């Protein structure tokens, strides 16, 4: 052992994170590194590998990985998996994400590179979600006909019962944020016993059925059985994890698809703020891997109760929170003030999505959404069911407003604009939310825009999940080149 040092020692020596050192070892870029008992041993005199140039990265082009998206909404997680969008510079921790393709935009913004993933199917039941999705993604060379404005239940039935090919015959990855209202702590928490149907309407029957909104994950499971992706990613609210044994039931149901053909690793709650999103938004993430596609070593490692760091599909935290101890490895959380950089007041903006904001009056602190956002802190969870209760950007002094300098400058009491909510969710400014009707799609109002933004997974969180999966693809499934 005297001739070797540990990953932790190499990380300290080279001023890298341990995870980055393991990645370099897996890429066979650390000369003389050997793996014993699942642990990398590094020669004491090994030098830190030089960064790969753009030309070196292009030597071995990777195969495009196809993506099928369910319950897509306006496409927050879809955008995250696609990549190629602007985010705040403060949202990126280069010490941890050294292998990301990132380019400078200006002093405040950087552009994330394109991933290997390409969306070939999406669906949702909300016309405004489709309108926003198609309006944005069609500009990114994604066929607008790939979006289906239908319930997943109806789509599965069309394929199963009528022999109509709806879903792609094959996709590498399937993602979906099945409806969360029935598991959310902000709702009635009906869970599996939801009285809402798959189409969003109330169920007339006395007993809820497998087609109710709380059990739509079972229809996501049906699509997994049809498409048989190499991996699927499912997302829901944190509240699901403490609603009876809902998480365990869902894990078992997902694992039983294709006669037990999928390995479902223990679900984990991720807080978006830990990944550079200026918002305290916690979501539970489920990963399922097709056993027959996994390498034997990957199947063994992913089957362990405690996932090895090298094999875990969950991304590493990049930012610490307000109540956490500051570390050299993690960056400080991103604030609301950071997120709103460069935005004028709505009346001075030419952006339709910034011009619109809820005119609902202040109703007192006893009601939801009557607080003023704290500019120096992480933003509140942007809710879908706001009903005019979206938080205030600024309160009047008599209502407890704290931004006296703004009030003294004559700035009015108002709620967060649609664009400000989109910024807090990490949507780029070129994503339009308030749009007119065109190409057969309906218009999207400010009120509808709030809802589809609130329903979305923050694109930056989606990007972290996608990049971790992309980084480990060969580790899980072997070489896969053009």
């Amino acid at each position: 052992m005297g001739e070797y040092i540990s990953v932790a020692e190499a990380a300290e020596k080279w001023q890298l994170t341990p995870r980055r050192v393991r990645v370099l070892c897996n890429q066979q870029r650390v000369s003389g590194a050997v793996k014993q008992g699942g642990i990398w041993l590094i020669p004491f005199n090994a030098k830190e590998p030089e960064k790969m140039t753009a030309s070196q990265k292009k030597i071995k082009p990777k195969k495009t990985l196809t993506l099928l998206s369910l319950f897509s909404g306006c496409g927050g997680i879809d955008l995250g998996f696609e990549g190629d969008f602007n985010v705040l510079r403060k949202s990126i921790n280069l010490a941890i994400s050294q292998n990301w393709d990132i380019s400078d935009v200006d002093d405040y913004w950087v552009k994330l590179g394109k991933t290997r993933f390409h969306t070939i199917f999406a669906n949702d039941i909300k016309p405004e979600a489709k309108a926003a999705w198609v309006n944005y993604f069609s500009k990114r060379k994604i066929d607008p006909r790939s979006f289906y404005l239908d319930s997943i239940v109806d789509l599965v039935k069309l394929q199963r019962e009528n022999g109509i090919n709806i879903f792609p015959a094959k996709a590498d990855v399937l993602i979906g944020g099945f409806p969360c209202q029935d598991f959310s702590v902000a709702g009635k928490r009906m869970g599996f016993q939801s009285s809402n149907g798959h189409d969003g309407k109330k169920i007339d029957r006395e007993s809820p059925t497998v087609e109710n909104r709380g059990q739509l994950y079972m229809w996501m499971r049906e699509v997994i059985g049809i498409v048989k992706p190499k991996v699927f990613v499912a997302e829901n609210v944190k509240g699901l994890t403490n609603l009876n044994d809902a998480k365990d039931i869902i894990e078992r149901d997902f694992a039983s698809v294709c006669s037990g053909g999928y390995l479902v690793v223990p679900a984990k709650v991720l807080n978006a703020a830990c990944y550079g999103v200026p918002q305290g938004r916690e979501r539970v993430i489920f990963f399922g891997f097709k056993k027959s596609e996994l390498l034997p070593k990957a199947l063994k490692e992913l089957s362990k109760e405690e996932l090895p760091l090298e094999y875990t599909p969950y991304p590493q935290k990049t930012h610490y929170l307000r109540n956490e101890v500051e570390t050299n490895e993690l960056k400080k959380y991103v604030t609301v003030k950071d997120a709103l950089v460069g935005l004028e007041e709505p009346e001075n903006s030419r952006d339709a999505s910034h011009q619109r904001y809820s005119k609902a009056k202040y109703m007192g602190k006893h009601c939801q959404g009557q607080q003023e956002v704290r500019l120096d802190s992480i933003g509140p969870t942007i809710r879908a069911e706001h009903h005019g209760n979206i938080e205030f950007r600024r309160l009047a002094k008599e209502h407890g407003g704290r931004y006296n300098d703004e009030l003294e400058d004559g700035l009015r009491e108002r709620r967060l604009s649609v664009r400000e909510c989109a910024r807090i969710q990490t949507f780029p400014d070129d994503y339009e939310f308030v749009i007119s009707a065109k190409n057969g799609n309906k218009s999207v109002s400010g009120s509808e825009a709030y809802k589809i933004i609130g329903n979305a997974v923050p694109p930056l969180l989606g990007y972290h999940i996608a990049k971790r999966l992309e980084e480990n693809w060969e580790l899980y499934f072997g070489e896969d080149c053009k």
Side-chain angles (χ1 to χ4, degrees), residues 25-65:
C25 290
N26 287 326
Q27 294 174 341
Q28 298 181 340
R29 292 172 58 194
V30 179
S31 180
V34 295
K35 199 170 189 181
Q36 293 185 2
I39 299 174
W40 281 106
L41 300 177
I42 299 164
F44 75 93
N45 59 351
K47 295 182 179 179
E48 177 186 355
E50 295 182 1
K51 289 185 177 181
M52 294 177 68
T53 64
S55 59
Q56 288 174 319
K57 292 179 181 178
K58 293 179 180 178
I59 290 175
K60 197 175 185 181
K62 303 293 185 179
K63 173 178 173 283
T64 296
L65 301 173

Side-chain angles (χ1 to χ4, degrees), residues 8-215:
E9 290 170 325
E12 183 177 357
K13 178 181 177 181
W14 297 338
Q15 293 296 293
L16 300 175
T17 65
R19 177 178 169 184
R20 179 58 182 163
V21 173
R22 284 191 291 270
V23 169
L24 292 170
C25 290
N26 287 326
Q27 294 174 341
Q28 298 181 340
R29 292 172 58 194
V30 179
S31 180
V34 295
K35 199 170 189 181
Q36 293 185 2
I39 299 174
W40 281 106
L41 300 177
I42 299 164
F44 75 93
N45 59 351
K47 295 182 179 179
E48 177 186 355
E50 295 182 1
K51 289 185 177 181
M52 294 177 68
T53 64
S55 59
Q56 288 174 319
K57 292 179 181 178
K58 293 179 180 178
I59 290 175
K60 197 175 185 181
K62 303 293 185 179
K63 173 178 173 283
T64 296
L65 301 173
T66 52
L67 181 76
L68 186 152
S69 169
L70 303 177
F71 313 108
S72 309
C74 64
I77 195 168
D78 302 353
L79 177 54
F81 265 77
E82 287 276 341
D84 193 27
F85 61 98
N86 290 355
V87 295
L88 287 165
R89 185 180 294 275
K90 289 184 176 182
S91 291
I92 302 302
N93 186 336
L94 291 176
I96 293 175
S97 306
Q98 292 185 27
N99 58 335
W100 285 11
D101 176 17
I102 300 172
S103 56
D104 292 331
V105 175
D106 56 32
D107 290 343
Y108 299 102
W109 300 91
V110 295
K111 189 169 188 175
L112 301 177
K114 179 72 178 74
T115 69
R116 293 175 61 185
F117 301 105
H118 176 69
T119 308
I120 59 173
F121 181 98
N123 96 290
D124 205 89
I125 61 172
K126 296 181 179 296
E128 58 271 17
K130 178 189 178 185
W133 193 100
V134 168
N135 183 65
Y136 181 76
F137 285 96
S138 61
K139 299 174 185 176
R140 298 168 61 96
K141 310 301 182 186
I142 295 178
D143 189 344
R145 294 173 298 179
S146 62
F147 194 105
Y148 285 74
L149 183 62
D150 286 289
S151 158
I152 185 175
V153 174
D154 292 334
L155 292 175
V156 169
K157 286 181 175 180
L158 276 172
Q159 178 140 341
R160 292 281 198 202
E161 299 172 9
N162 300 311
I164 300 174
N165 292 326
I166 302 295
F167 302 101
K170 185 179 180 181
D172 293 300
V173 182
L174 185 149
I175 59 175
F178 53 96
C180 63
Q181 298 96 320
D182 301 299
F183 299 106
S184 173
V185 294
K188 297 179 180 179
R189 310 209 74 195
M190 295 295 289
F192 299 129
Q193 303 304 314
S194 173
S195 59
N196 289 297
H198 61 88
D199 54 4
K201 299 177 182 178
K202 290 289 183 181
I203 294 176
D204 293 330
R205 308 164 196 164
E206 292 183 6
S207 299
T209 72
V210 75
E211 295 183 13
N212 74 32
R213 190 175 61 186
Q215 296 201 40

Side-chain angles (χ1 to χ4, degrees), residues 19 22 96 232-235 247 251 263-271 275 283-289 302 304-317 461 464-469 471-472 476:
R19 177 178 169 184
R22 284 191 291 270
I96 293 175
F232 68 81
V233 185
E235 172 268 345
K247 181 180 79 70
E251 286 177 345
L263 170 63
V264 178
V265 301
K268 186 174 180 180
V269 174
L270 303 183
N271 187 338
Y275 299 92
R283 290 296 184 268
V284 60
I285 307 296
F286 300 84
F287 278 96
F289 297 87
L302 288 170
K304 293 180 178 178
E305 187 173 340
E306 187 71 29
L307 295 180
L309 290 177
E310 181 184 356
Y311 279 86
T312 180
Y314 297 103
Q316 182 181 355
K317 288 175 55 175
L461 177 59
H464 274 276
I465 294 170
K467 290 299 289 185
R468 178 60 177 167
L469 194 56
E471 180 182 272
N472 275 11
Y476 296 149

Side-chain angles (χ1 to χ4, degrees), residues 430-445:
D430 62 346
Y431 194 118
E432 301 173 86
F433 289 98
V434 178
I435 53 179
S436 58
K438 54 184 174 181
N439 300 324
N441 293 310
K442 67 165 292 185
S443 62
V444 182
S445 68

